[in-house]
Amino acid sequence: RVAPVREIERLEPVAVTPIGEGVVVADFGVNIAGRQELTLVDAPAGSVGTMRPAEVVGGSGEVDQWSTGSPIWDTFTASGAN
């Protein structure tokens, strides 16, 4: 029997940096194994976005997934509810 997944700690980013049109990097300052939760404020219903977790922030501020061995991403669609 496997124990249920539960929240151990909730992290806030140490830096949030816009790096291009519609692209923002949130740096949490630590490497974790976990799940992300995203709350969108004032995003129109149907807006689609992608989250790309990485262990490294590249020289240009972009996420660098070289250590994962393959691209990882989660795609979401905003509900329009705040």
Side-chain angles (χ1 to χ4, degrees):
R1 187 168 188 184
V2 177
V5 174
R6 62 187 174 89
E7 182 178 305
I8 302 297
E9 183 178 2
R10 187 169 288 252
L11 301 173
E12 297 292 331
V14 296
V16 178
T17 308
I19 63 167
E21 176 101 19
V23 179
V24 176
V25 173
D27 184 352
F28 289 85
V30 295
N31 187 1
I32 66 160
R35 297 186 59 126
Q36 69 273 11
E37 178 182 313
L38 180 66
T39 302
L40 300 173
V41 179
D42 298 328
S47 298
V48 177
T50 303
M51 295 178 70
R52 293 181 177 91
E55 295 181 358
V56 177
V57 177
S60 300
E62 77 287 352
V63 296
D64 185 342
Q65 293 186 335
W66 69 267
S67 63
T68 65
S70 62
I72 301 169
W73 68 90
D74 291 302
T75 301
F76 60 86
T77 304
S79 68
N82 288 332

